[in-house]
């Protein structure tokens, strides 16, 4: 047989489109041509495959070889195509039976001695293979990740010779037996550690119950960062499909996905982070911090210290829950359904309104500092809460606050009411929001008058309704009343 077709998959963000590696042998001067929009790492696979075949004891066909990665308009990158190319050459040259890969997909980078090296993005690959109803051969180091897809037969291989022996029916590779992911190594911080700050604690509970964005403002050392770090501990647990989405993002980012398995992400980038680091991008677009915080919390400490342009690029993802990255030769779409928690000082010195220490900033300095955060961005933050300095009596008190578990129970009860509506309160909009928050005539008139006096925008009006609905859910009311508004 002079033509062989091996099925594998490309990596395009969280997608893994099917790719057919076509290997054709023809008479003529020995040589190898690789077509199908391969990038540099894929073109280099010719030399890796040649060396791996010869050092493993197989015959490298001394004929005119044409390798096509179809479809031709799909960009291919990385070393994942080494193993499919090698198997295609073995089948085309008659060293493997053509039916051996009938229902199997494979991926893996080859070392020069034939050993298989792991590749990134294996979980999206495995999920797509499972949907196609096929089996998969992967490097041994990728087997645990591939098995997380569930319902998929995974064959882990160390060496090219192991793969060939399995396909030829000589020495079969035992399917990988998935193991339960290890429990998280880091204990989730408890809200009981926070002393005082009852209003800020309540705001944190409301934010968790409704999925609202939250801003803490106050002098240094008042517990803003401490409060933000406790939010993951009071959020509901991730569902199975959400766990796989979080793991898939970590997989394409080259991060260990078994670490903190099943926990909500908590990302806290430094204020010197660039726009690409925050939202994703690069010549080969990769997920940024907002995608790594998908289904979790993105904490931005010292919010005004971030570059204003960096903050502005978050506005669209905060509304849509995803980020589209377009480059000259690449386009990616990554999920970014995160919950934003930010913290800031009221002024450059941090002591505006602090009874412990006088502020030394001028009015112009305060105005310039606070204007670093734009109005449209603040308009997308549902809760903006002042965190005052604690009195010495509160600070030295041995009385602990309410535990995260107790708060989480109330949050879960509120989320249960929202699940009956089909979506959490932070994502309610338009007519559906008006239906759920059907106000009586006196409350509507009172709210309209308040909006006029405070000169609030339409987005602020919807924010008020969403937060009021969450407050109603926490106390078991069907719809918000005057107290919640």
């Amino acid at each position: 047989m002079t033509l062989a077709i091996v099925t594998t998959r490309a990596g395009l963000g969280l997608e893994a489109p099917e790719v057919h590696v076509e290997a054709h042998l023809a008479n003529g001067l020995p040589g190898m041509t690789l077509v199908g929009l391969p990038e540099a790492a894929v073109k280099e696979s010719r030399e890796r495959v040649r060396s791996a075949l010869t050092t493993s004891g197989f015959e490298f066909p001394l004929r005119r070889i044409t390798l096509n990665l179809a479809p031709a308009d799909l960009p291919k990158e990385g070393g994942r195509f080494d193993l499919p190319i090698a198997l295609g050459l073995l089948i085309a040259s008659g060293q493997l039976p053509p039916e051996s890969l009938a229902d199997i997909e494979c991926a893996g980078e080859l070392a020069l001695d034939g050993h298989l090296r792991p590749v990134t993005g294996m979980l999206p690959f495995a999920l797509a293979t499972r949907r196609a109803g096929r089996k998969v051969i992967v490097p041994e180091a990728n087997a645990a990740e591939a098995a997380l897809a569930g319902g998929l037969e995974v064959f882990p291989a160390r060496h090219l010779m192991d793969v060939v022996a399995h396909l030829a029916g000589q020495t079969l590779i035992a399917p990988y037996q998935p193991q339960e992911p290890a429990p998280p190594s880091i204990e989730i911080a408890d809200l009981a550690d926070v002393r005082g700050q009852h209003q800020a604690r309540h705001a944190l509970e409301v934010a968790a119950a409704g999925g609202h964005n939250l801003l803490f403002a106050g002098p240094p050392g008042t517990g803003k960062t401490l409060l933000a770090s406790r939010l993951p501990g009071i959020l509901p647990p991730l569902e199975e499909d959400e766990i796989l989405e979080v793991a898939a993002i970590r997989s394409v980012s080259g991060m260990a996905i078994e670490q903190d398995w099943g926990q909500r992400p908590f990302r806290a980038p430094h204020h010197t982070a660039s726009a690409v680091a925050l939202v994703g991008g690069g010549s080969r677009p990769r997920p940024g911090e907002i995608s790594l915080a998908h289904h979790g919390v993105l904490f931005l400490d010292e919010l005004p210290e971030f570059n204003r342009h960096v903050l502005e690029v978050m506005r669209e993802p905060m509304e849509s829950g995803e980020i589209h990255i377009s480059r000259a030769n690449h386009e990616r779409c990554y999920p970014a359904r995160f919950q934003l928690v930010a913290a800031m000082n009221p002024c450059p010195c941090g002591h505006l309104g602090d009874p412990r220490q006088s502020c030394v900033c001028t009015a112009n300095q305060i105005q310039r500092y606070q204007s670093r955060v734009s109005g449209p961005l603040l308009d997308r933050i549902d809760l903006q809460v002042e965190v005052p300095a604690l009195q010495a009596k509160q600070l030295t008190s041995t009385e602990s606050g309410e535990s995260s578990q107790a708060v989480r129970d109330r949050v879960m009860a509120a989320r249960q009411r929202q699940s009956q509506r089909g979506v959490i309160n932070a994502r309610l909009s338009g007519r559906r929001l008006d239906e759920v928050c059907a106000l009586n005539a006196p409350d509507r008139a009172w709210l309209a008058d308040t909006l006029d006096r405070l000169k609030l925008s339409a987005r602020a009006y919807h924010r008020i309704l969403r937060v009021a609905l969450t407050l109603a859910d926490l106390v078991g009311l069907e719809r918000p009343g005057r107290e919640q508004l």
Side-chain angles (χ1 to χ4, degrees):
M1 184 177 184
T2 59
L3 176 65
I5 301 177
V6 180
T7 304
T8 184
R9 294 185 180 274
L12 294 180
L14 299 187
E15 299 177 0
E18 190 173 287
V19 172
H20 296 289
V21 178
E22 302 171 345
H24 181 261
L25 306 183
N27 295 326
L29 291 174
M32 186 186 296
T33 303
L34 183 59
V35 297
L37 207 59
E39 296 195 353
V42 184
K43 293 178 181 178
E44 293 167 355
S45 66
R46 294 178 294 189
E47 305 307 320
R48 292 194 297 269
V49 169
R50 186 194 308 272
S51 298
L53 287 175
T54 55
T55 56
S56 300
F58 301 107
E59 179 187 348
F60 186 81
L62 296 177
R63 303 176 65 182
R64 182 175 180 179
I65 303 171
T66 303
L67 297 170
N68 179 37
L69 308 181
D73 60 345
L74 186 69
K76 290 90 179 177
E77 57 185 41
R80 64 173 61 203
F81 300 101
D82 290 4
L83 180 59
I85 289 173
L87 296 178
L89 291 176
L90 292 174
I91 293 174
S93 59
Q95 300 177 68
L96 263 180
E99 66 277 2
S100 59
L101 280 168
D103 61 344
I104 295 178
E105 298 183 10
C106 58
E109 181 181 333
L110 285 172
L112 298 185
D113 61 355
H115 280 88
L116 288 174
R117 290 176 174 153
V119 296
T120 59
M122 183 50 66
L123 182 55
F125 187 111
L127 291 170
T129 302
R130 184 191 67 181
R131 289 191 292 267
R134 301 191 183 103
K135 307 170 187 176
V136 65
I137 298 176
V138 299
E140 190 176 48
N142 282 132
E145 181 179 336
L148 292 173
L152 175 67
E153 201 166 359
V154 179
F155 297 103
R158 294 184 180 181
H159 198 278
L160 177 60
M161 290 190 292
D162 298 338
V163 178
V164 174
H166 174 80
L167 295 176
Q170 299 168 353
T171 305
L172 298 181
I173 301 173
Y176 182 82
Q177 298 299 322
Q179 301 175 352
E180 286 293 327
S185 57
I186 300 176
E187 187 178 351
I188 299 178
D190 199 296
L191 193 59
D193 300 334
V194 180
R195 296 179 181 176
Q197 304 298 5
H198 300 295
Q199 177 176 272
R201 287 171 58 99
H202 185 50
L204 203 66
E205 179 180 341
V206 174
H212 304 288
N213 297 323
L214 173 63
L215 171 66
F216 288 129
T222 55
K224 302 186 293 294
T225 303
L226 188 70
L227 283 160
S229 66
R230 269 55 183 172
L231 179 56
I234 63 175
L235 288 171
L238 290 171
E239 298 181 1
E240 185 177 353
D241 57 340
E242 294 175 335
I243 292 174
L244 288 176
E245 282 185 29
V246 171
I249 295 172
R250 294 178 66 92
S251 176
V252 300
S253 302
M255 302 169 66
I257 64 175
E258 293 87 359
Q259 181 182 354
D260 299 331
W261 175 261
Q263 287 193 355
R264 290 189 180 270
F266 182 84
R267 305 293 298 183
H270 193 260
H271 63 259
T272 57
S274 66
V276 170
L278 196 63
V279 302
S283 57
R284 295 179 180 177
R286 298 176 66 83
E289 291 291 342
I290 64 173
S291 295
L292 292 170
H294 182 56
H295 291 314
V297 178
L298 178 68
F299 176 51
L300 301 183
D301 200 5
E302 306 296 344
L303 186 66
E305 300 298 335
F306 281 81
N307 185 289
R308 179 161 179 160
H309 168 70
V310 172
L311 294 178
E312 295 306 300
V313 297
M314 290 201 312
R315 283 160 50 180
E316 183 182 349
M318 288 172 68
E319 293 281 349
S320 64
E322 58 186 15
I323 177 70
H324 292 268
I325 305 171
S326 297
R327 297 295 181 264
N329 298 318
H330 299 276
E331 184 174 347
R332 300 285 189 276
C333 179
Y334 291 111
R337 185 69 68 183
F338 61 92
Q339 188 169 353
L340 175 65
V341 180
M344 63 178 288
N345 296 328
C347 65
C349 77
H351 297 289
L352 180 66
D354 187 353
R356 304 169 303 176
Q357 188 171 339
S358 300
C359 175
V360 297
C361 304
T362 65
N364 286 337
Q365 288 175 326
I366 295 172
Q367 192 275 332
R368 282 197 304 269
Y369 180 80
Q370 295 181 350
S371 65
R372 292 180 187 176
V373 183
S374 70
L377 180 63
L378 289 174
D379 224 17
R380 288 167 169 81
I381 300 178
D382 296 344
L383 293 163
Q384 300 171 28
V385 181
E386 183 180 353
V387 184
L390 287 175
Q391 297 178 358
K393 184 178 180 180
Q394 293 175 299
L395 196 60
T396 57
S397 172
T398 57
E399 182 182 352
S400 61
E402 197 174 18
S403 69
S404 290
Q405 185 57 52
V407 177
R408 190 184 197 184
D409 291 341
R410 294 197 296 270
V411 169
M412 293 279 288
R415 286 284 183 109
Q416 182 61 35
R417 297 185 183 93
Q418 294 167 45
S419 66
Q420 297 172 359
R421 304 184 192 116
V423 65
I424 63 174
N425 292 340
R427 300 177 202 165
L428 276 173
S429 61
R431 184 177 300 175
R432 179 62 178 152
L433 180 61
D434 292 333
E435 291 174 356
V436 175
C437 298
L439 304 177
N440 56 39
D443 286 346
R444 281 202 309 272
W446 175 85
L447 182 57
D449 178 63
T450 304
L451 293 173
D452 285 338
R453 285 190 291 107
L454 298 179
K455 297 180 174 58
L456 298 178
S457 66
R459 182 180 280 118
Y461 163 67
H462 290 133
R463 272 180 20 223
I464 291 169
L465 291 183
R466 294 190 193 101
V467 175
L469 183 59
T470 301
L471 290 168
D473 287 336
L474 283 169
V475 295
L477 295 178
E478 187 67 26
R479 55 176 51 88
R482 179 75 60 90
E483 182 181 353
Q484 287 74 39
L485 292 171

